[in-house]
Amino acid sequence: NAGVTQTPKFQVLKTGQSMTLQCAQDMNHNSMYWYRQDPGMGLRLIYYSASEGTTDKGEVPNGYNVSRLNKREFSLRLESAAPSQTSVYFCASSEGYGGGNTIYFGEGSWLTVV
Amino acid sequence: ELKVEQNPLFLSMQEGKNYTIYCNYSTTSDRLYWYRQDPGKSLESLFVLLSNGAVKQEGRLMASLDTKARLSTLHITAAVHDPSATYFCAVDLPTSGTYKYIFGTGTRLKVLA
């Protein structure tokens, strides 16, 4: 019953440091997503991956990179963290083909950049 | 660019009364999703509405979709034991071999004792 698992749950970074958020899903889903959630702004799409080997930019991709390592895993990297990247990050997955598929979320990663 | 707007952004509710959250979106779509998020938690799927006129109900929640008006509504009957939660609507947009999900800004609910 794992669903979507993301690590770490909490992280504090200094400005300029780098880190990678890891995400894995065990539902055999084709598509995976990274969102960030900020107060008053809902969820904004950072990057998504339609299938293994493909990635595309979402609404707010600047300052981030992603890797779709295989069908299960989709990582998000901050190369040089900035205070503006302080946020809650959610990984998600969906079936991908056809419309009307529920998107399932991980538990979230709370990132603070000081 | 697809925009998804919710209102109100905040809702203080009294037990037993009915309230409505509105979700407007800017592009043609036959599908609309509702999610709930408890404080500090992840998002949980509530409803998937797949066609014009679709209505779904679960307990004290009822959602409907009018694709011609590009509007979905979520009706809630407040209960005092309801924890504060935020409700999001989302629309999916076909792109590059999949669908991307665009979310509204959320409506934060609080039930007054």
Side-chain angles (χ1 to χ4, degrees), chain A residues 23-95:
Chain A
C23 176
Q25 53 91 10
D26 62 3
M27 295 174 281
N28 201 36
H29 283 167
N30 295 294
S31 298
M32 298 186 73
Y33 309 81
W34 277 105
Y35 288 87
R36 60 177 288 173
Q37 184 177 24
D38 302 292
M41 303 191 76
L43 278 81
R44 293 181 292 169
L45 182 62
I46 305 172
Y47 271 93
Y48 63 99
S49 169
S51 59
E52 182 179 351
T54 70
T55 61
D56 281 287
K57 295 178 181 179
E59 302 166 273
V60 289
N62 291 345
Y64 305 96
N65 286 303
V66 290
S67 295
R68 182 73 183 268
L69 304 170
N70 47 55
K71 190 171 185 178
R72 289 187 65 246
E73 298 173 288
F74 188 39
S75 63
L76 178 71
R77 182 161 177 85
L78 286 68
E79 291 291 351
S80 179
S84 61
Q85 294 178 303
T86 294
S87 188
V88 183
Y89 291 85
F90 286 98
C91 179
S93 71
S94 76
E95 183 63 44

Side-chain angles (χ1 to χ4, degrees), chain B residues 31-90:
Chain B
R31 294 178 296 275
L32 194 289
Y33 306 79
W34 283 99
Y35 283 80
R36 171 193 169 105
Q37 183 182 37
D38 291 324
K41 302 294 185 182
S42 186
L43 281 81
E44 172 191 2
S45 176
L46 292 175
F47 301 113
V48 179
L49 302 169
L50 296 176
S51 61
N52 184 41
V55 177
K56 290 202 173 178
Q57 184 164 6
E58 177 84 26
R60 292 175 288 102
L61 299 175
M62 184 175 73
S64 62
L65 177 62
D66 180 345
T67 60
K68 293 178 182 176
R70 299 179 185 176
L71 171 68
S72 180
T73 56
L74 180 67
H75 299 285
I76 302 172
T77 301
V80 70
H81 59 269
D82 277 341
S84 296
T86 301
Y87 291 82
F88 292 94
C89 62

Side-chain angles (χ1 to χ4, degrees), chain A residues 10 20 37 59 70 73 84 97-98 101 104-105 107 111:
Chain A
F10 299 99
T20 300
Q37 184 177 24
E59 302 166 273
N70 47 55
E73 298 173 288
S84 61
Y97 295 134
N101 296 301
Y104 296 89
F105 287 86
E107 293 297 305
L111 176 65

